[in-house]
Every structure is written in structure tokens, then in C-alpha cells.
Amino acid sequence: MDKFKPVILSLAALTMLSGCVTREYAGDNTPVVQNDSSNDDIALTRISLALGYLKMGNTTQAKSNLEKAKRFAPKLVQVHTAFAHYYETVGENELAVGAYEQALSLDANDADTLNNYGVFLCRENRLEQAQKQFLKAIAVPSYLQVAQSYENLALCHLKADNFKQAEQFLEKAIKHNPSRAAVVLQMVRLQYAKRDYRQAQLYLQKFEKAVRRFSAEALALAYKLYKKQGKTSVANNYGVMLVKVFPTSWQAKQYLVNELAQIPADELALRYQKSRQGQASAKKRVVVLSPDKNQTVVKADNNKAVLAKTAEKKPKQQKQGKKRSSADSKPQTTITIPVHVVEYGDSLFSISKKYNIFMRSIQRWNNLKESSILRVGDVIYLSNPNKAAKS
């Protein structure tokens, strides 16, 4: 199911305009009808008709009305945005790109067009370009659908199995509109996929406060969530509600047949686990930190790292004429210091929480401040390097 939220479909509701018609009379009392509608108003009405035809599958009438709208207002942004939607519907994606670019050439800050263009690019798996359009829309001060664009951006990353980024953008969407039930339900799905059932339950409670009417998908997800936690009686209550309220739904039928053995959130969970396995397979790497006599390297993976520092003591100067024996040489000593290699989205707070270490300690060990900027690839000491060096 396509969960992206383009704004263009709202044009049908927003632009059902009727022109004001006035009557004047000539000297012989013959009425002369004059239409006070501007060309833009007429064009918007044609767009509304076109979208209606397109929804019914009548592409011929849809395009005919769009062409008429274009003749009345060739420089109206909505005309070209509607054309882009039409071209995407009929599978002419290159023409859709051209229509979006034409619309933005007329108004580079039209947030609705930017959002819709981002949705289109995401469907085309052009994540980087899609994110650029979404963020441009969000940056427009007068834009009211910021939560919707953040949700679209999160779904775009989720589609690409970028789970960390998806979670970050869902959090932003919820902050901008805490009562947007669809966003909160997406977060429930994501936390369920990550097997963080406690967090998923907290978001489910927020969803229940925000939603006016449950969907079959939400009831099925709630059932699985409580079932995973061993709360069978609560889970069964959701199952019974699912069958009573949505008896003909796919979810209700699956509940009766196999107690919802596999729902879309379970498929998302499998994708999450595969992404984690993929990260694990690419873990090992060596990063040279300083090319001095005491070579320091980091043997790191995506989650943990150990900094190994080899300190070699110089042998004492021997008297002339004596040969140096193997017993005279001192063995190398290896000091291991736990470290963390900074990833995208990391902060001092998240690192301290992950390793259960006071943030002030991490700051002190690494000479950092709360305002310090972490960059991907930075190495953060997780213990006091001075104490480790003396041991």
C-alpha cells in the first residue's frame, strides 16, 4: 500500500470555484452576460474537473481539461503540478519530471509542489533527490504540512531500509504534529520491527489517544504487539475487537485462521534484521589514527570498537663487546581502550545512553563540550585513556 501523502489531491477540494456571473442590459433590455472569473479561477476549475476524471480512470477527459486549464493560465503553478500528477498516473515519468521542474521554475518555493515532487522521486527510488525536495518544502515558512513532509521523508528512508534515519524523521513529524495518528502508527510499526516492544506500546497508547476510529491494520498490530510481550488477555481483546468491527477484513480472516501469524509489520521486522546482518558483515576495518612510533589503530565495527595501543620500551644501552641476547629484550605491552566510532545521527547523549556511561565522563575523557560537533568516523574514548596508559 502506498502510504505517501501527496498534496495535489487536495486541489479538488480547494479549487471548486464558480465564477461570479453578472447581468447587464443593453438599451433594448437585452441581457448581456459577463463572467467576472479570472483566468486563474477558470484554470483551477478545469484542474478540479481533470483530477476528478483522472480518479475515475478517464484519462482522455482528464488531459483535455488540463490542456484547457493551461490555455487559460499557462503560468499557474497548479497547472503544471496537475500535469505532473497526470503524467505519473499514465506512466510518463520523464514528462512528469519536466512538469514538476516547470512548476518550480515558476515558483521555487511552492511547498506543495516540492512535497509532491519529493513523493514522486521517492517512488522512483531517487532518495537523495527526494530528500532535497522534502527539506526545501519544510523550510518554507508559510508551509503548514511540515509533519506530513517529514512523514513522507521517513517513509522514503524506510523504503530504502534506512531505519535509523526513518526513526529520526518520524520523531520530527510527531513533534510538529503530536495528534497526527498516521505518523504515530508508523512509529509503532517501526518500534515493533526493532523488537522494542515497550517503546512500541508507549507509541500505541499515544496513537489510541489521537485516533478517532481504529483501523483493521492498527488492531492487528496491537494484537501482535501484546502477544509478543506475553500479555495474552490484552492481545485477545484486540483480536475480538478486530473481528467484531472489521469482520470482512483480511486481518480479521487471518486472525481466525492463524492468529495473525504474519502481518506487514513482521515483514518489516525481517527487513530490519537483514539490514542488521548486512551491517555486521561489513563491520571489520582498520583505521590508522597516528603514524608515530607507538602505532595506534582502531579495530572497529558499526557498534563497538577497541583501540589497541602498542607501547614498545627501548632496551637499555649495552656495554661494548657484549652481544645482545633474546632475554635482554623486553616484551611489548598492549593496552586496550574501549572506544566508539561515531555514526550518522550519533550524539554525546545517545553514546552515553548506549554504553550506560555518564555523559560528563565521556566529555572529560575526550576533551569535549556539550556544544562540540561530532563527525562520522570520529573515535570517542569510553574509558579514561590516561589511566589505561598507566596500567
Side-chain angles (χ1 to χ4, degrees):
M1 183 183 294
D2 191 348
K3 296 180 181 294
F4 292 106
K5 306 295 190 303
V7 181
I8 189 169
L9 297 181
S10 63
L11 281 172
L14 295 175
T15 63
M16 292 295 288
L17 304 177
S18 57
C20 298
V21 178
T22 61
R23 288 174 181 263
E24 294 183 0
Y25 292 86
D28 57 356
N29 291 327
T30 303
V32 178
V33 179
Q34 291 184 342
N35 196 333
D36 290 340
S37 297
S38 68
N39 287 346
D40 285 358
D41 292 337
I42 297 172
L44 290 171
T45 302
R46 286 293 179 182
I47 292 172
S48 178
L49 290 171
L51 292 176
Y53 280 119
L54 196 59
K55 191 173 182 180
M56 292 187 293
N58 191 338
T59 56
T60 302
Q61 284 297 324
K63 188 173 183 182
S64 175
N65 278 280
L66 288 177
E67 291 291 355
K68 290 176 182 177
K70 189 175 181 179
R71 284 200 296 271
F72 277 106
K75 294 186 178 181
L76 187 65
V77 172
Q78 289 90 332
V79 170
H80 300 282
T81 306
F83 259 111
H85 181 58
Y86 165 80
Y87 286 133
E88 183 182 2
T89 302
V90 298
E92 297 287 353
N93 291 341
E94 290 185 8
L95 293 175
V97 170
Y100 277 123
E101 294 292 344
Q102 179 64 27
L104 292 174
S105 71
L106 295 169
D107 185 355
N109 292 319
D110 187 84
D112 289 346
T113 301
L114 291 166
N115 176 80
N116 294 348
Y117 195 14
V119 169
F120 169 78
L121 291 169
C122 188
R123 287 175 178 152
E124 293 294 297
N125 298 317
R126 295 159 69 175
L127 174 58
E128 186 176 348
Q129 293 170 285
Q131 177 164 316
K132 184 179 179 180
Q133 302 304 322
F134 285 130
L135 294 179
K136 280 184 179 179
I138 290 166
V140 176
S142 59
Y143 188 45
L144 301 179
Q145 304 296 329
V146 171
Q148 181 172 310
S149 289
Y150 270 129
E151 180 187 1
N152 285 337
L153 185 49
L155 291 172
C156 198
H157 277 286
L158 205 57
K159 182 182 178 184
D161 289 347
N162 298 334
F163 292 92
K164 180 179 288 188
Q165 292 89 332
E167 184 173 5
Q168 290 172 349
F169 289 121
L170 282 176
E171 287 174 350
K172 287 180 177 292
I174 292 172
K175 286 180 180 178
H176 278 275
N177 191 350
S179 62
R180 186 173 173 82
V183 181
V184 182
L185 186 61
Q186 288 295 342
M187 186 64 92
V188 178
R189 290 178 66 244
L190 180 55
Q191 298 303 326
Y192 176 91
K194 293 174 61 180
R195 298 181 182 177
D196 191 344
Y197 302 128
R198 183 177 179 182
Q199 193 69 13
Q201 184 177 327
L202 292 175
Y203 278 110
L204 179 63
Q205 292 167 356
K206 291 182 180 179
F207 169 78
E208 292 175 346
K209 290 180 181 179
V211 75
R212 293 182 179 179
R213 186 174 184 269
F214 274 97
S215 63
E217 178 190 6
L219 289 171
L221 181 57
Y223 170 82
K224 290 297 296 280
L225 174 57
Y226 282 102
K227 193 76 172 178
K228 290 285 188 181
Q229 297 179 86
K231 301 176 181 179
T232 307
S233 60
V234 180
N236 290 339
N237 288 338
Y238 283 102
V240 171
M241 191 186 306
L242 172 63
V243 174
K244 284 185 177 180
V245 180
F246 303 99
T248 60
S249 66
W250 173 87
Q251 289 86 351
K253 293 174 183 177
Q254 290 298 307
Y255 173 75
L256 294 173
V257 172
N258 56 29
E259 294 187 335
L260 292 166
Q262 189 80 0
I263 64 174
D266 291 310
E267 297 172 8
L268 186 64
L270 289 174
R271 285 166 48 197
Y272 178 76
Q273 293 304 317
K274 286 181 179 179
S275 72
R276 300 290 290 175
Q277 292 170 4
Q279 292 173 7
S281 65
K283 279 181 178 181
K284 292 184 179 179
R285 64 186 179 185
V286 175
V287 182
V288 178
L289 297 181
S290 58
D292 56 11
K293 294 180 180 179
N294 298 329
Q295 187 182 38
T296 305
V297 298
V298 174
K299 301 175 181 178
D301 59 32
N302 285 345
N303 297 317
K304 298 178 181 178
V306 175
L307 185 147
K309 185 173 182 180
T310 303
E312 186 175 348
K313 295 183 178 179
K314 294 182 179 179
K316 294 180 179 179
Q317 191 174 4
Q318 297 185 5
K319 293 181 180 180
Q320 191 174 5
K322 285 188 177 181
K323 290 185 179 181
R324 181 182 173 188
S325 64
S326 60
D328 293 330
S329 61
K330 297 288 181 85
Q332 293 181 342
T333 59
T334 301
I335 305 163
T336 59
I337 304 172
V339 300
H340 173 83
V341 180
V342 175
E343 299 176 341
Y344 177 81
D346 280 346
S347 65
L348 288 175
F349 176 76
S350 66
I351 295 171
S352 67
K353 186 177 179 182
K354 180 175 183 178
Y355 295 101
N356 196 25
I357 301 173
F358 287 115
M359 190 169 72
R360 290 182 180 177
S361 298
I362 295 177
Q363 291 172 334
R364 186 172 65 255
W365 297 334
N366 295 275
N367 295 321
L368 296 173
K369 300 178 181 179
E370 288 188 20
S371 59
S372 297
I373 298 174
L374 299 184
R375 293 178 174 80
V376 174
D378 285 353
V379 176
I380 303 296
Y381 291 106
L382 299 177
S383 68
N384 191 334
N386 295 327
K387 287 186 178 180
K390 294 176 181 177
S391 58

